[in-house]
């Protein structure tokens, strides 16, 4: 395949900037993710990683820049981004605690079902066929993630590591071409972390590209084809694990060595507060 025949990147972010008032959380960040690729996004606390994720998934509309999925501009609405082909998990698990494991995954199928409210109320043949297909796909994903024996358990009763798996299974239920994982191994023990690494490789093997934020450097450098580093909202460098680990600027950033023009703790706290207010406003609008 020649360069001109190569498919467009799954994700292309160009010049993404996110400001909250006069505060800049992300500045002029470029990033691409190609088919069947696993890309890591790392950086010290407050580097802007989750803000950047939120810009990619429609939770935030970037102040500047563009985000495309397979060369098509993404709409600034999370459910439309999911429908387009990008799914995500969150740093803080967001399961429906009082629904079963199976029901949680079935919720993730809603962007891929065509039955409307009228059909659901009548519960006719088309609705029953769609419901059966949804359950079958959900069970495939529970088997894939090792959760099939827990299908009827309430999500809140699962161990922490299995709740993380369930969130991934629910994200996969939308049949994404790109999966974004935000701190997938947070709070996990070494055995659970290794299982997550194997799961991400299995997801890639099925044809889904992955972009992952993680603080566990061993996990990231073992897992990823490429790693991008954000520092103070800007992309510092990008490359293979070996290239990134050898970069003295990356080492300095993780040791807390300030860069010219680096924001102080007060400014970083202001950005965090602005992000929290934005998320609260959006959640209020969705109710």
């Amino acid at each position: 395949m020649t360069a001109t025949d190569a498919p467009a990147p799954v994700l292309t972010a160009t010049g993404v900037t996110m400001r909250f008032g006069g505060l800049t959380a992300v500045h002029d960040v470029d990033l691409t993710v190609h088919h069947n690729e696993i890309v890591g996004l790392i950086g010290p606390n407050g580097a802007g990683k989750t803000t950047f994720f939120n810009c990619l998934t429609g939770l935030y509309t970037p102040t500047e820049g563009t985000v495309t999925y397979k060369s098509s501009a993404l709409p600034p609405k999370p459910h439309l981004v999911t429908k387009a082909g990008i799914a995500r998990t969150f740093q803080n698990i967001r399961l429906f605690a009082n629904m079963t494991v199976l029901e949680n995954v079935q919720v993730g199928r809603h962007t891929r079902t065509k039955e409307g409210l009228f059909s659901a109320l009548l519960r006719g043949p088309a609705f029953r066929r769609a419901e059966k297909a949804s359950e079958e796909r959900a069970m495939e994903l529970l088997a894939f993630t090792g959760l099939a024996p827990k299908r009827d358990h309430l999500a809140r009763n699962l161990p922490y590591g299995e709740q993380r798996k369930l969130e991934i299974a629910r994200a996969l239920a939308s049949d994404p071409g790109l999966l974004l994982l935000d701190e997938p191994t947070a709070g996990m023990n070494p055995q659970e972390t290794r299982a997550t690494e194997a799961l991400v490789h299995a997801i890639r093997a099925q044809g889904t590209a992955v972009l992952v934020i993680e603080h566990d450097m061993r996990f990231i450098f073992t897992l990823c084809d490429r790693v991008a580093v954000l520092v103070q909202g800007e992309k510092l460098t990008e490359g293979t694990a070996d290239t990134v680990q050898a970069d003295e600027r990356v080492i300095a950033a993780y040791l807390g060595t300030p860069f010219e023009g680096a924001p102080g703790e007060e400014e970083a706290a202001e950005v965090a507060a602005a992000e929290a207010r934005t998320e609260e406003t959006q959640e209020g609008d969705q109710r």
Side-chain angles (χ1 to χ4, degrees):
M1 181 180 290
T2 66
T4 55
D5 294 330
V10 175
L11 175 77
T12 304
T14 305
V16 171
T17 296
M18 186 68 203
R19 298 189 185 94
F20 299 94
L23 304 170
T24 302
V26 174
H27 179 250
D28 197 26
V29 174
D30 296 341
L31 186 70
T32 59
V33 180
H34 298 278
H35 290 264
N36 295 330
E37 189 175 36
I38 302 174
V39 177
L41 187 63
I42 66 172
N45 288 331
K49 301 183 297 296
T50 295
T51 299
F52 183 64
F53 252 39
N54 289 342
C55 290
L56 301 181
T57 56
L59 282 173
Y60 298 160
T61 301
T63 309
E64 298 172 13
T66 60
V67 181
T68 63
Y69 174 73
K70 297 182 178 179
S71 299
S72 296
L74 286 171
K77 296 289 183 182
H79 70 284
L80 295 178
V81 170
T82 302
K83 188 174 183 179
I86 296 179
R88 73 169 293 178
T89 65
F90 291 86
Q91 184 175 351
N92 299 313
I93 295 174
R94 299 187 182 185
L95 296 172
F96 295 99
N98 292 316
M99 292 173 65
T100 67
V101 167
L102 176 62
E103 289 168 342
N104 265 276
V105 180
Q106 287 180 293
V107 167
R109 290 291 300 166
H110 75 279
T111 61
R112 296 292 175 253
T113 56
K114 299 179 181 180
E115 303 307 311
L117 176 62
F118 187 68
S119 176
L121 290 173
L122 291 179
R123 300 186 69 82
F127 174 80
R128 290 195 295 272
R129 285 195 298 271
E131 191 174 43
K132 184 174 184 295
S134 176
E135 180 175 342
E136 288 174 351
R137 177 57 178 154
M139 284 306 302
E140 288 176 2
L141 290 169
L142 290 179
F144 176 67
T145 54
L147 293 174
K150 304 282 183 79
R151 57 166 286 168
D152 295 321
H153 292 220
L154 294 181
R156 61 183 168 86
N157 292 334
L158 292 181
Y160 182 83
E162 291 186 344
Q163 288 188 19
R164 286 281 182 193
K165 282 186 178 180
L166 177 56
E167 194 174 38
I168 292 173
R170 186 177 63 183
L172 291 173
S174 65
D175 296 334
L178 174 65
L179 176 63
L180 276 60
L181 302 175
D182 192 349
E183 301 279 0
T185 68
M188 287 187 176
N189 61 40
Q191 182 178 358
E192 291 170 331
T193 297
R194 288 193 297 273
T196 300
E197 180 183 333
L199 178 58
V200 174
H201 278 297
I203 291 168
R204 189 255 293 275
Q206 291 196 341
T208 301
V210 181
L211 176 60
V212 55
I213 293 174
E214 186 54 69
H215 277 106
D216 185 335
M217 294 298 97
R218 180 178 297 177
F219 175 78
I220 280 286
F221 291 137
T222 301
L223 178 74
C224 297
D225 303 306
R226 283 188 294 120
V227 179
V229 184
L230 287 190
V231 176
Q232 299 153 16
E234 299 186 9
K235 189 169 79 172
L236 180 65
T237 189
E238 179 182 348
T240 65
D242 290 342
T243 299
V244 169
Q245 290 180 87
D247 194 314
E248 294 183 357
R249 297 171 301 166
V250 176
I251 298 169
Y254 273 93
L255 291 176
T257 303
F259 287 72
E260 183 178 352
E265 292 183 3
E266 183 176 346
E267 184 177 356
E270 289 177 358
V271 170
E275 290 177 334
R277 288 194 296 270
T278 299
E279 291 186 5
E280 288 173 1
T281 299
Q282 290 175 334
E283 289 176 358
D285 292 341
Q286 294 171 1
R287 292 193 183 104

